[in-house]
Amino acid sequence: MRLKTLLLATSVLTVAGVLGAQAQSLSGQTLSGQVSSTEEGMMEGVLVSAKKEGSTVTTTVVTNDKGQFSFPAGRLEPGKYTITTRAVGYTLVGPKTVDVGASGASAEIKLA
């Protein structure tokens, strides 16, 4: 009886793990990367915005202490996005657009 219970519990946990991984991968794409400048290296506190071509919606995230950013999974659909940044005294060098595919995308954003 104990063996059957153990096998049942293991099977349920395995199925739950597989379904959770599939749901996460289907929940949406993401865009992530880093923001840097030649003057400061990796930049913290930069606002990074993405707006899908033809859309009126802009989604914005903030870089962490290592200059990294990541848009939440499911917030960006596949397509071409215009990237903008806000950092006092800096302008965006590139990239200014990025294509988000089925598996997401990454961008190494440079400021000057």
Side-chain angles (χ1 to χ4, degrees):
M1 181 70 173
R2 281 183 138 175
L3 182 57
K4 285 183 181 181
T5 304
L6 180 62
L7 287 173
L8 178 61
T10 303
S11 297
V12 168
L13 291 175
T14 301
V15 169
V18 168
L19 291 177
Q22 286 176 345
Q24 185 175 9
S25 68
L26 294 175
S27 66
Q29 297 67 36
T30 189
L31 170 61
S32 61
Q34 288 187 315
V35 176
S36 64
S37 72
T38 53
E39 296 83 9
E40 293 191 40
M42 299 305 170
M43 296 186 62
E44 178 180 6
V46 176
L47 299 176
V48 179
S49 300
K51 181 179 174 187
K52 187 173 182 185
E53 211 171 65
S55 175
T56 58
V57 177
T58 301
T59 304
T60 303
V61 295
V62 180
T63 59
N64 65 14
D65 61 335
K66 296 175 184 159
Q68 301 168 331
F69 67 92
S70 182
F71 288 85
R75 292 289 304 194
L76 303 179
E77 299 173 354
K80 187 173 188 173
Y81 286 81
T82 300
I83 301 295
T84 56
T85 59
R86 279 195 106 167
V88 175
Y90 290 89
T91 58
L92 176 63
V93 174
K96 296 185 179 186
T97 62
V98 65
D99 288 315
V100 176
S103 60
S106 65
E108 299 304 315
I109 296 175
K110 304 292 182 195
L111 303 180

